[in-house]
Amino acid sequence: MKTMWKTVDFGRPLRDESGVALPLALVGLVSVTLLVTTALITSSTELAISNAHQGATESLYAAEGGVQAYVAEAGTILSQVAGSPPFEYTPNGAEPVRISVTHLGNRMAEDSSLLRLFTVQATPVSGVGRTVAAIVTQVLPPPVPLQTNITSALTLGGNLDVDGNAFWVSGRSEDPSCGEGVEAVRMSNESTIDVKPQHVDNFVGVDDAGNFVEGYAAIDQTELTRAELALDVMGGMTLQQLIALVPPQNRWGPRFSPPGGPVREFSGYVTEAEGVAVVDGDGGTVLLEGGKGLLIIVNGNLEMAGNATFDGIIIVEGSFWLHGTPQVTGALISLSIDAENLIELDEEAGLSGNVTIQYDRCQINEAAQRFGELTQQSLTPTVGATYGWQEVTR
């Protein structure tokens, strides 16, 4: 056997490159694929980010616009909707939003104006995107107190029939700090009082000179007509103007109840928390069992019986009937309504039993102040610009 040897020169580079093209092509193809895929992914991501940013911006503008539009349109009624469930609101020509209002609190200024603070929150109805909340202020003007011109314990637009001697109508002030006193009765030039001569001294008061007087000397029959007397004692305001300042929650009877809904029935008692009550008598008689503050009865008459007591001011359009042992401490005003108002009421008022009508300027002032505080809620507030923005992104 013959052995063959081949000499190899390791210092010379290899020249045989057969089989390398395919791997290189595959590597290049993979690289290009990766580059293209990366570009596509990046492009898709950028597009998604751009769309998301556009949608978020649109929802932000919609929410901000909704807040601004709602405050501009309904800023004066924020207190009426505060705390209610969110509701849908569509600004003019804009995307609808869901509005919710929260009452943050109140602050009284030195001039007795009232600062209310609210947050108004708007969310796109779609439920996606951004929610924007802004702080809004309302400033209510100072209270408008009841500017009455009460100069007697009893003011009569109609007639008064007194049956018996167990009554007491006094304009004398029981507390000197509440004033020196007034006349017992002030009435129109058309009014009459039917009382037995031996009982007329149950009317007592104080004359303009500060002297105690009784009987007819304590009764002031003015030269004013019934309509003029009514306007004078109300300080120049009509009952309609006065009632317009009273919030709906302090009104009772058919006239002041929601149309088609249940009638808000008056309980017969004016609580200290209520302070003011306006009652539609619906042409009948309103039974007053007691209370404190200001009571206004329209389209009806007043009855007090038993040991009912009331501290403050009572204003009744029609007549009053007091019997038993009731007591009014403050002032009682009975007005008449002429045919122009289309309400016809009996102008006669009867008194029988142990009745007391006691003038008290302190109770009158308290009722007037309570009226002012309450009616401030019905005044039109000044709405401030939105501020303190907050944005919530989901």
Side-chain angles (χ1 to χ4, degrees):
M1 176 181 295
K2 187 178 179 179
T3 305
M4 301 296 295
W5 298 91
K6 184 176 180 181
T7 303
V8 179
D9 186 0
F10 292 97
R12 186 180 65 183
L14 294 174
R15 300 296 182 185
D16 188 2
E17 297 179 358
S18 59
V20 175
L22 180 59
L24 288 177
L26 292 175
V27 170
L29 182 60
V30 170
S31 299
V32 171
T33 302
L34 290 175
L35 289 174
V36 171
T37 302
T38 302
L40 290 174
I41 293 175
T42 302
S43 177
S44 299
T45 302
E46 291 292 335
L47 181 60
I49 293 174
S50 176
N51 289 336
H53 182 70
Q54 180 179 354
T57 302
E58 290 176 352
S59 68
L60 173 63
Y61 289 163
E64 287 184 351
V67 167
Q68 295 282 27
Y70 183 75
V71 171
E73 181 181 339
T76 58
I77 63 169
L78 295 181
S79 59
Q80 301 175 27
V81 298
S84 60
F87 53 91
E88 188 172 321
Y89 171 73
T90 304
N92 187 23
E95 180 182 344
V97 293
R98 197 169 299 281
I99 296 288
S100 62
V101 180
T102 303
H103 182 204
L104 300 180
N106 299 331
R107 182 173 64 84
M108 188 70 71
E110 291 183 1
D111 65 349
S112 296
S113 59
L114 183 65
L115 172 66
R116 291 169 169 170
L117 203 61
F118 300 89
T119 57
V120 179
Q121 181 174 291
T123 306
V125 171
S126 60
V128 297
R130 305 191 179 190
T131 295
V132 170
I135 297 176
V136 183
T137 59
Q138 281 185 352
V139 179
L140 284 171
V144 180
L146 184 63
Q147 299 290 345
T148 56
N149 182 32
I150 298 174
T151 59
S152 62
L154 174 61
T155 302
L156 287 174
N159 302 325
L160 174 62
D161 180 19
V162 180
D163 180 15
N165 65 347
F167 74 95
W168 183 256
V169 180
S170 173
R172 298 174 183 174
S173 180
E174 293 184 333
D175 184 353
S177 65
C178 294
E180 297 179 355
V182 293
E183 290 160 318
V185 180
R186 187 180 184 219
M187 60 187 187
S188 75
N189 61 359
E190 304 169 64
S191 301
T192 62
I193 295 180
D194 185 6
V195 59
K196 292 181 179 180
Q198 63 269 33
H199 302 152
V200 74
D201 287 347
N202 288 16
F203 295 100
V204 298
V206 178
D207 63 15
D208 294 338
N211 301 314
F212 283 0
V213 291
E214 59 186 29
Y216 291 110
I219 300 173
D220 176 23
Q221 182 155 25
T222 69
E223 296 181 355
L224 302 176
T225 66
R226 292 168 179 171
E228 291 171 341
L229 179 63
L231 195 63
D232 181 76
V233 75
M234 298 300 297
M237 295 183 68
T238 65
L239 275 182
Q240 288 72 24
Q241 292 172 326
L242 196 67
I243 294 169
L245 296 173
V246 179
Q249 66 268 21
N250 288 71
R251 306 179 192 178
W252 287 266
R255 181 185 303 185
F256 307 119
S257 299
V263 175
R264 299 191 71 231
E265 298 288 350
F266 178 58
S267 67
Y269 196 92
V270 182
T271 67
E272 191 167 354
E274 292 166 346
V276 177
V278 179
V279 183
D280 173 21
D282 196 26
T285 299
V286 175
L287 178 63
L288 176 62
E289 297 179 356
K292 181 181 180 66
L294 171 65
L295 171 65
I296 301 174
I297 299 175
V298 295
N299 190 24
N301 307 312
L302 165 71
E303 179 183 358
M304 291 183 71
N307 58 356
T309 61
F310 188 87
D311 297 332
I313 305 171
I314 300 176
I315 303 173
V316 54
E317 269 193 331
S319 63
F320 59 84
W321 179 30
L322 309 181
H323 57 100
T325 59
Q327 177 167 336
V328 176
T329 304
L332 173 58
I333 302 169
S334 174
L335 306 176
S336 62
I337 299 300
D338 57 29
E340 248 178 37
N341 295 303
L342 303 179
I343 301 175
E344 297 182 1
L345 299 174
D346 184 4
E347 296 175 349
E348 298 295 330
L351 276 147
S352 63
N354 188 6
V355 174
T356 301
I357 302 175
Q358 174 64 55
Y359 169 82
D360 191 310
R361 174 54 62 178
C362 287
Q363 296 292 349
I364 293 172
N365 291 342
E366 284 186 25
Q369 180 179 355
R370 185 68 182 94
F371 173 85
E373 294 171 352
L374 180 67
T375 56
Q376 186 182 35
Q377 310 301 318
S378 298
L379 300 176
T380 302
T382 300
V383 181
T386 54
Y387 68 95
W389 291 80
Q390 180 184 22
E391 179 185 339
V392 180
T393 306
R394 289 182 298 279

